[in-house]
Amino acid sequence: MPNHNLRFLVPFFSALLLAACGGGGSDSTDTKGSSFVLQLVTLRSDSLANTNSAKCQVYYQTGSSNSEGDATYYYATAVTDPAVALYNADGSLSSRLSVDSSGKVQVYDNDVPSGGYLAVTTTTIGQAFTEYNVTALSSSLLGAMTLSVASSNTSGNCVSGTYSAPASSTGYMNINVPGDFSAAPVIYRLDNGVDVTTTASNTKLTLTVYQDHPLLVTAYGHYDSDTGKASDMVGYAFISASALCSQSASCDGVDLVALDQTPAISF
């Protein structure tokens, strides 16, 4: 009998991929109000040639494109095993949602409980055990988008599109710590979808943001410099390319959003 490892990801971790993948559409009905569609996928990596670049949407690359072709390109394939449900603010089940054969699920605004959230459960099959991956999104983060989740079960069909090299914007930003924080974070993790860096400073940051993919800032209350481990996440923020300042001295910055609860999350 396999062991089961239940892993919870808080909303803003998922939101980086939501923002990075983008897409989707919305519509409206008279009975349920407006709606949006989530496209559930898993990111895969390969060479540009093997992604069928004329057919697959490539989201980003790591490494440089040179004559040796050492760059790695990331694309998405549809997930076939998701269980999707809406939950009330107290964590009780509100309703289950159906997912079609292409990994899409439609969510109506009127069905989302006030203060509630949506959870996507998938499985990753290992040699010794099956891991259950639960991605939880607060209602405020839901929208028409492509969401990357961990899964070993995919259709093998990629999301259609073509590749274009990611454009980037570089500028300055300050991370403001509002008064509702009991103490200032001790370290910040900056993730723009390509590079991840950490810093103890929250002012005059030099940042690179790719296209319409907001940079994710996560803040932690504890950091062990000997081991390089941070723990007790206390807040987060998103920084878009349009919000970057040309000069650090004139930058008002963005506010760090405090967590309602402090989860046991580290990096």
Side-chain angles (χ1 to χ4, degrees):
M1 180 176 180
N3 295 319
H4 302 296
N5 178 20
L6 188 63
R7 182 179 62 188
F8 289 89
L9 303 184
V10 290
F12 26 90
F13 271 120
S14 303
L16 173 64
L17 291 171
L18 295 178
C21 294
S26 61
D27 57 75
S28 61
T29 68
D30 293 334
T31 57
K32 290 194 173 185
S34 60
S35 69
F36 50 83
V37 175
L38 294 175
Q39 169 75 64
L40 303 175
V41 301
T42 289
L43 288 183
R44 303 296 188 193
S45 62
D46 209 328
S47 67
L48 182 59
N50 288 341
T51 64
N52 298 313
S53 58
K55 299 179 181 179
C56 296
Q57 174 64 56
V58 181
Y59 291 104
Y60 64 94
Q61 72 179 64
T62 56
S64 59
S65 297
N66 56 24
S67 58
E68 286 75 33
D70 63 353
T72 299
Y73 297 84
Y74 290 81
Y75 65 99
T77 57
V79 175
T80 59
D81 68 334
V84 184
L86 295 171
Y87 290 85
N88 299 306
D90 63 1
S92 60
L93 177 66
S94 174
S95 61
R96 300 186 187 278
L97 303 179
S98 60
V99 183
D100 69 16
S101 58
S102 66
K104 293 182 179 179
V105 55
Q106 187 172 33
V107 184
Y108 289 89
D109 284 344
N110 291 355
D111 289 342
V112 181
S114 176
Y117 58 95
L118 177 145
V120 180
T121 305
T122 58
T123 56
T124 303
I125 311 300
Q127 293 183 343
F129 58 87
T130 297
E131 181 176 285
Y132 288 82
N133 311 297
V134 180
T135 302
L137 297 174
S138 67
S139 57
S140 63
L141 290 175
L142 291 173
M145 57 189 70
T146 299
L147 170 62
S148 179
V149 294
S151 174
S152 294
N153 299 279
T154 68
S155 66
N157 299 321
C158 63
V159 176
S160 62
T162 56
Y163 173 71
S164 60
S168 62
S169 299
T170 299
Y172 299 96
M173 183 56 64
N174 298 322
I175 307 299
N176 304 323
V177 181
D180 52 351
F181 281 81
S182 59
V186 299
I187 198 165
Y188 301 84
R189 183 178 187 269
L190 312 175
D191 189 336
N192 64 8
V194 177
D195 302 305
V196 177
T197 58
T198 57
T199 176
S201 173
N202 65 316
T203 61
K204 299 182 179 180
L205 302 175
T206 303
L207 305 176
T208 298
V209 178
Y210 287 91
Q211 289 178 326
D212 296 325
H213 309 167
L215 181 145
L216 172 65
V217 179
T218 47
Y220 296 82
H222 296 91
Y223 180 68
D224 186 334
S225 59
D226 292 330
T227 62
K229 300 292 185 181
S231 59
D232 293 340
M233 185 187 296
V234 295
Y236 70 99
F238 290 105
I239 300 174
S240 63
S242 61
L244 293 176
C245 303
S246 58
Q247 295 181 354
S248 59
S250 62
C251 189
D252 293 332
V254 298
D255 290 343
L256 200 67
V257 178
L259 299 185
D260 294 333
Q261 304 179 60
T262 302
I265 288 182
S266 61
F267 70 82

